[in-house]
Amino acid sequence: MIKAVIFDMDGVIVDTEPIYYERLHEFLKFNNIHPELEDLDKIAGASARDAWETIQRIWGKPLNKDKYEQAYEDYFKNRPVDNREIVNPDLTTLLDWLKKENYQIALASSSSIEEIQKVLEECDLKHYFESVLSGDMFKKSKPNPEIYFKSAEQLNVKPEECLVLEDSTYGITAAKDAGMYVLAKRDDRFNFKQELAHKIIDRLTDAIPELQKLNS
């Protein structure tokens, strides 16, 4: 029986991945760096730590992280991302249904805790989640399953009692390796291996009949 639903953030709650993908590509080109698109694809769904390693590899030399992040921030300072404009339109319908049906709800994202809190506050979502975890809290983020084991522990449920909503190869792999039931939110833009999930869904609200079937 499924007792808890765990959400990934980027690509599931907010559609940030194409924005940050295009911004990174633009910033690299501005600095005369022309990456292969498959290298950029590796960053989608990755933890901040792993993404930084990929950026340095693309750049071709070690970088000062603070200076890089300041330069990136300065470049886009007049074009801030408004998370309210990219929040999934089906999200609150699903969250309200889960609350009504007494499911426990958690968030387990590879993003930094600062970015997670920013999204939750801007989109007024904090009150839905009983547990919020960032990949930066762990020695290894997704595809390592540790973040999902910890999420189940914080909710006081068994891994097999959890359904996970993911989109990336890293996240799907992590959740499946944790022994959880995984629904992949369909995304054909980043060469994700979504067929690794138990099922691919087109809309977040498609999780409702899946839960009803799993718990019937």
Side-chain angles (χ1 to χ4, degrees), residues 47 49-50 110 134-148 174:
S47 68
R49 189 185 307 115
D50 291 340
S110 293
S134 161
D136 289 349
M137 298 173 175
F138 303 89
K139 287 183 179 179
K140 291 184 179 180
S141 188
K142 304 172 188 177
N144 188 291
E146 186 178 4
I147 190 171
Y148 280 116

Side-chain angles (χ1 to χ4, degrees), residues 31-44:
N31 285 278
N32 203 31
I33 306 293
H34 303 281
E36 298 291 334
L37 293 183
E38 52 264 35
D39 287 331
L40 290 182
D41 286 346
K42 294 174 185 174
I43 293 176

Side-chain angles (χ1 to χ4, degrees), residues 45-97:
S47 68
R49 189 185 307 115
D50 291 340
W52 174 239
E53 289 179 2
T54 301
I55 289 168
Q56 289 186 94
R57 188 166 63 252
I58 290 171
W59 206 283
K61 64 179 182 180
L63 299 167
N64 181 290
K65 193 169 186 291
D66 290 338
K67 288 182 179 178
Y68 172 89
E69 290 178 346
Q70 187 61 57
Y72 181 95
E73 187 177 318
D74 290 344
Y75 184 83
F76 291 109
K77 66 182 178 183
N78 295 321
R79 287 186 280 164
V81 175
D82 187 344
N83 289 300
R84 294 169 297 182
E85 294 181 358
I86 55 173
V87 67
N88 190 293
D90 293 329
L91 178 66
T92 53
T93 299
L94 175 57
L95 288 170
D96 287 338
W97 183 86

Side-chain angles (χ1 to χ4, degrees), residues 42-193:
K42 294 174 185 174
I43 293 176
S47 68
R49 189 185 307 115
D50 291 340
W52 174 239
E53 289 179 2
T54 301
I55 289 168
Q56 289 186 94
R57 188 166 63 252
I58 290 171
W59 206 283
K61 64 179 182 180
L63 299 167
N64 181 290
K65 193 169 186 291
D66 290 338
K67 288 182 179 178
Y68 172 89
E69 290 178 346
Q70 187 61 57
Y72 181 95
E73 187 177 318
D74 290 344
Y75 184 83
F76 291 109
K77 66 182 178 183
N78 295 321
R79 287 186 280 164
V81 175
D82 187 344
N83 289 300
R84 294 169 297 182
E85 294 181 358
I86 55 173
V87 67
N88 190 293
D90 293 329
L91 178 66
T92 53
T93 299
L94 175 57
L95 288 170
D96 287 338
W97 183 86
L98 293 172
K99 282 288 188 185
K100 181 172 70 72
E101 297 296 322
N102 296 314
Y103 285 95
Q104 292 175 272
I105 307 173
L107 191 155
S109 170
S110 293
S111 290
S112 68
I113 193 64
E114 292 80 13
E115 188 59 33
I116 293 169
Q117 295 297 349
K118 181 173 181 284
V119 168
L120 294 181
E121 287 170 11
E122 284 185 9
C123 301
D124 191 25
L125 298 171
K126 258 186 167 180
H127 59 287
Y128 285 107
F129 297 95
E130 297 167 53
S131 167
V132 174
L133 296 175
S134 161
D136 289 349
M137 298 173 175
F138 303 89
K139 287 183 179 179
K140 291 184 179 180
S141 188
K142 304 172 188 177
N144 188 291
E146 186 178 4
I147 190 171
Y148 280 116
F149 284 129
K150 186 64 175 178
S151 190
E153 181 186 320
Q154 289 198 345
L155 296 175
N156 198 30
V157 295
K158 299 173 183 176
E160 61 268 26
E161 294 173 329
C162 299
L163 179 143
V164 174
L165 288 158
E166 269 284 1
D167 66 323
S168 73
T169 307
Y170 300 131
I172 294 166
T173 300
K176 280 199 76 179
D177 285 351
M180 299 178 176
Y181 190 87
V182 186
L183 297 180
K185 170 68 176 63
R186 189 183 300 278
D187 194 325
D188 301 319
R189 296 170 292 184
F190 303 107
N191 297 312
F192 293 149
K193 295 180 180 178

